[in-house]
Amino acid sequence: MIIAVDFDGTIVEHKYPAIGQEIPFATDTLKLLQRDGHRLILWTVREGALLEEAVAFCRARGVEFFAVNSDSPTGQADNSTFRSRKIKADLFIDDRQVGGLPDWGVIYELIRTRTKYTDYLQNTRYQTSEHAKQRTFWSRMFGK
């Protein structure tokens, strides 16, 4: 699956043009998605030096993107007769999506199980309070 991921507010807290603190488990999740065979595209409003900083931030944490602000690793459209700014991806992860950004553990589970977010919300509505007290998936996995 090709997954486009926003930077500010999604991988890091909104501090644009500065880079905010990493959102818990963001890069851990992105690395797991890559390990699972997904191609990641960094899809952000950042350009120039600000974009380079974002790419370097992710690279320093072990996340390499298939493409940046493009659906092609070269940054050029594959079809020279038609040029569109809209990238082609199977899934977009963005804090500005309807309903906001779910927890990164939820994002991973939705992608891994190919579950719709609405189905997830419907199923979790009926969890017992005892289940809610359990440590989160990411806390168990990474000990954080």
Side-chain angles (χ1 to χ4, degrees), residues 45-64:
V45 70
R46 289 175 176 258
E47 298 178 304
L50 295 176
L51 178 58
E52 290 173 21
E53 289 174 2
V55 170
F57 176 92
C58 294
R59 184 174 289 135
R61 286 155 181 78
V63 178
E64 291 284 341

Side-chain angles (χ1 to χ4, degrees), residues 28-136:
D28 291 331
T29 304
L30 294 174
K31 288 187 287 190
L32 283 174
L33 291 171
Q34 287 177 309
R35 182 204 67 190
D36 293 348
H38 300 288
R39 288 183 170 179
L40 302 181
I41 297 172
L42 182 61
W43 176 54
T44 177
V45 70
R46 289 175 176 258
E47 298 178 304
L50 295 176
L51 178 58
E52 290 173 21
E53 289 174 2
V55 170
F57 176 92
C58 294
R59 184 174 289 135
R61 286 155 181 78
V63 178
E64 291 284 341
F65 294 97
F66 166 73
V68 176
N69 283 347
S70 171
D71 47 25
S72 168
T74 64
Q76 301 296 317
D78 292 331
N79 183 346
S80 61
T81 61
F82 177 74
R83 190 142 171 109
S84 173
R85 292 181 300 148
K86 186 171 183 174
I87 63 172
K88 293 176 233 132
D90 301 304
L91 182 67
F92 293 82
I93 301 174
D94 192 326
D95 62 304
R96 305 276 176 145
Q97 65 195 18
V98 174
L101 184 71
D103 173 89
W104 276 98
V106 171
I107 291 170
Y108 181 73
E109 284 298 305
L110 292 172
I111 294 170
R112 188 183 66 76
T113 61
R114 296 185 186 267
T115 302
K116 292 181 184 177
Y117 191 44
T118 53
D119 293 342
Y120 170 82
L121 290 174
Q122 183 67 27
N123 291 335
T124 57
R125 236 181 241 158
Y126 301 106
Q127 290 181 349
T128 65
S129 60
E130 186 60 37
H131 182 274
K133 292 178 187 175
Q134 293 177 2
R135 293 179 63 203
T136 67

